[in-house]
Amino acid sequence: MKEGNSFARDLKARHLIMIAFGGAMGTGLFVGTGQSLHMAGPLGTVIAYCVASVIVYSIMLSLGELSSYFPNTGSFGDYADKFISPSAGYMVFWLYWLNWTTTVGIEFIAVGFLMQKWFPHIPTYIWVIICIIGVFSFNVYRVKIFAESEFTLSLIKVIAVVLFLVFGVAMLFYHLYENGFAQTFSNFYFHTENYTGFFPNGITAVFMTILAVNFAFTGTEVMGVAVGETKNPAKAVPMAINATLWRLIIFFVGSVFIIATFLPMDNATITQSPFVDVLQIFNIPYVSDIMNFILISALLSTANSGVYASARMIWGLAEKKMLPHFFARVNKNGIPINGLMFSMLVSLLALLTAVSPAKSVINNLIAVSSLAMMLVWVSVSISQYKFRKWYLAQGKKLEDLPYKTPFTPGIQILGVIGCVVSIIGAYFDKEQRVAIYGTIIFCVVAFIAYHLTKNLWKENEKL
């Protein structure tokens, strides 16, 4: 097999838009919403999603300016390396890789949960193995095959959410007509012997939930990686960014509002999709089975994006000579095959469901993935702010940028504060605290590893 070090620019604008449009619709939205609802209550969950929408949109605005000017496959790590420091870039590469390898495992576990509906006697780990084989097949041949599979799978989940919203809005108006405002929205207000109000577990639970909710938006930023393999990125990136805001509001916040309205918080779990629960409440025949199939497609889509992104992070590290050149090799079809196989092997952590309770595994993986993503998002905000200063110092004009982030530096400050608040809120949750400590240790190890090996691979290449 002939090998080189260049990617094929086979992604088109429609691929990039659909990756940005549907990349985030995975376990966080389709399964994790149940856990958020159970913790923060209906109104608290809606608020958490609104806050997270603002955070991720601010990050996307910053990413748009960077990725349209520097359409690099290394993306976040490249930006941090150039505009913060090489050690920060090294850490960001690994954090984004960590985020996606854990996310891929979560998606596989979630598929196993959903398959239990039809095959209750088949263990979850069997479905994990099947998912690994399928997603690896989408990524191993040509990036065009990945792009078309991702386009199709993302389109399926977009259709799924549209159908859910149509059914939900119709039922909402029906209940308003039949039962009135107070009864229709009775899930939002609690009146018991021990508590009266909107937040049954306190307002603190809302802040504790924001980090997990941010996990639901993981994947929106994958376009920043895919732009390096996209034709005419200066045109495609602004189109993808502009599609993000209304997608966040309509698809995420709208769906969560429908779920919170009809699904009592005590009935919400992390082992079944709240989308399926709500459709069962509507008593629509066969729709829950159809939705279950669509949700499985949706989770495979996010896993597909995750494998794609994590392989490119390993390639990015090796391309900067921060890992052995072995990982920088790109085969004749433009696939970083060694980085792909390495990332898939790490995603086998999802098989821990065979020896550990699945709920425990998925909760810990979500916490690790969410924190890693928050740190990457912070680096994007800081990189864009420093890039803007660098750009202007070159005597260049803002109107010449392919995409200009509005309200600089306010947008960047908002992004950083939002991510920091999410992390602080998660610290008050004892279950997430362990994952926070673990991620901090990961960052320290990465920082030390950088300084121990920063010249090692450069020297070896000269030999």
Side-chain angles (χ1 to χ4, degrees):
M1 179 178 289
K2 181 183 178 181
E3 293 180 330
N5 59 358
S6 61
F7 289 93
R9 286 190 177 269
D10 284 341
L11 301 186
K12 300 177 181 178
R14 66 181 177 88
H15 296 135
L16 193 65
I17 292 172
M18 190 56 76
I19 287 171
F21 193 77
M25 296 181 190
T27 303
L29 177 64
F30 290 126
V31 180
T33 301
Q35 179 73 2
S36 299
L37 184 64
H38 188 76
M39 177 183 291
L43 182 60
T45 301
V46 173
I47 291 173
Y49 266 87
C50 289
V51 172
S53 295
V54 173
I55 295 171
V56 72
Y57 189 59
S58 69
I59 303 301
M60 288 293 287
L61 289 174
S62 294
L63 180 61
E65 183 169 303
L66 287 166
S67 60
S68 60
Y69 193 82
F70 296 109
N72 302 331
T73 299
S75 192
F76 320 105
D78 283 340
Y79 307 147
D81 178 271
K82 183 176 180 64
F83 296 109
I84 302 178
S85 72
S87 60
Y90 180 85
M91 193 179 302
V92 167
F93 269 118
W94 278 117
L95 282 169
Y96 196 61
W97 174 85
L98 175 67
N99 161 72
W100 271 119
T101 51
T102 53
T103 296
V104 168
I106 294 167
E107 306 303 308
F108 291 159
I109 296 170
V111 169
F113 286 159
L114 294 175
M115 292 300 291
Q116 294 295 309
K117 177 180 175 62
W118 296 322
F119 305 98
H121 302 299
I122 298 180
T124 301
Y125 71 87
I126 297 296
W127 298 114
V128 170
I129 294 172
I130 293 172
C131 289
I132 288 171
I133 295 171
V135 171
F136 181 77
S137 299
F138 288 148
N139 281 269
V140 75
Y141 296 111
R142 293 183 64 90
V143 70
K144 191 172 183 178
I145 294 176
F146 157 77
E148 293 299 342
S149 64
E150 183 59 25
F151 182 88
T152 303
L153 290 170
S154 291
L155 184 61
I156 290 173
K157 58 184 169 183
V158 168
I159 293 172
V161 176
V162 169
L163 291 175
F164 180 80
L165 289 172
V166 169
F167 282 123
V169 171
M171 293 302 295
L172 183 63
F173 280 108
Y174 173 78
H175 279 268
L176 283 171
Y177 177 78
E178 287 288 321
N179 305 314
F181 184 89
Q183 187 173 341
T184 300
F185 296 106
S186 59
N187 280 350
F188 287 86
Y189 189 77
F190 299 83
H191 185 71
T192 64
E193 294 180 1
N194 300 321
Y195 177 78
T196 298
F198 295 99
F199 305 103
N201 293 324
I203 192 67
T204 305
V206 179
F207 290 98
M208 291 166 58
T209 304
I210 291 177
L211 183 64
V213 169
N214 278 331
F215 172 76
F217 293 99
T218 297
T220 307
E221 77 297 319
V222 171
M223 54 146 282
V225 179
V227 71
E229 297 172 75
T230 302
K231 296 177 181 178
N232 195 5
K235 179 181 179 181
V237 170
M239 292 173 64
I241 296 293
N242 292 333
T244 301
L245 179 59
W246 62 271
R247 173 177 66 84
L248 296 177
I249 295 173
I250 297 176
F251 282 72
F252 281 80
V253 179
S255 297
V256 169
F257 179 75
I258 296 296
I259 292 170
T261 300
F262 291 103
L263 182 64
M265 64 177 290
D266 290 338
N267 294 347
T269 68
I270 199 169
T271 55
Q272 178 166 299
S273 170
F275 284 75
V276 175
D277 288 332
V278 170
L279 289 172
Q280 289 174 339
I281 291 172
F282 292 167
N283 292 318
I284 301 174
Y286 306 114
V287 171
S288 64
D289 282 325
I290 295 172
M291 182 61 82
N292 205 53
F293 167 78
I294 293 172
L295 296 182
I296 290 170
S297 301
L299 301 179
L300 290 175
S301 166
T302 302
N304 198 32
S305 294
V307 170
Y308 170 87
S310 58
R312 270 67 183 173
M313 291 302 103
I314 295 298
W315 173 88
L317 282 165
E319 192 269 340
K320 288 188 173 298
K321 299 179 177 59
M322 296 177 180
L323 279 180
H325 182 69
F326 172 80
F327 290 110
R329 291 171 183 165
V330 177
N331 66 21
K332 65 179 181 180
N333 293 323
I335 303 297
I337 189 68
N338 296 326
L340 174 64
M341 290 190 291
F342 176 72
S343 297
M344 286 298 299
L345 285 173
V346 177
S347 292
L348 291 175
L349 287 172
L351 293 176
L352 288 172
T353 53
V355 297
S356 178
K359 181 179 178 181
S360 173
V361 172
I362 198 169
N363 278 335
N364 284 309
L365 288 177
I366 284 177
V368 169
S369 177
S370 301
L371 181 57
M373 193 71 256
M374 290 304 95
L375 296 175
V376 172
W377 285 357
V378 166
S379 78
V380 171
S381 292
I382 295 173
S383 295
Q384 191 277 329
Y385 173 73
K386 299 188 79 170
F387 159 74
R388 178 70 69 86
K389 294 180 67 175
W390 169 85
Y391 182 83
L392 293 175
Q394 306 300 307
K396 299 179 181 180
K397 299 179 181 179
L398 290 180
E399 53 265 30
D400 293 333
L401 286 169
Y403 181 86
K404 183 174 68 175
T405 303
F407 310 116
T408 298
I411 285 293
Q412 292 72 43
I413 294 172
L414 177 63
V416 171
I417 291 176
C419 292
V420 171
V421 168
S422 300
I423 295 170
I424 293 173
Y427 184 79
F428 290 98
D429 183 352
K430 293 181 179 179
E431 292 185 4
Q432 296 187 75
R433 196 176 297 169
V434 175
I436 290 175
Y437 291 146
T439 308
I440 291 173
I441 292 172
F442 182 88
C443 290
V444 172
V445 171
F447 183 78
I448 295 172
Y450 168 77
H451 287 283
L452 291 177
T453 64
K454 62 181 179 179
N455 296 317
L456 177 62
W457 315 120
K458 297 176 183 178
E459 293 173 356
N460 286 345
E461 193 167 283
K462 295 176 182 178
L463 296 177

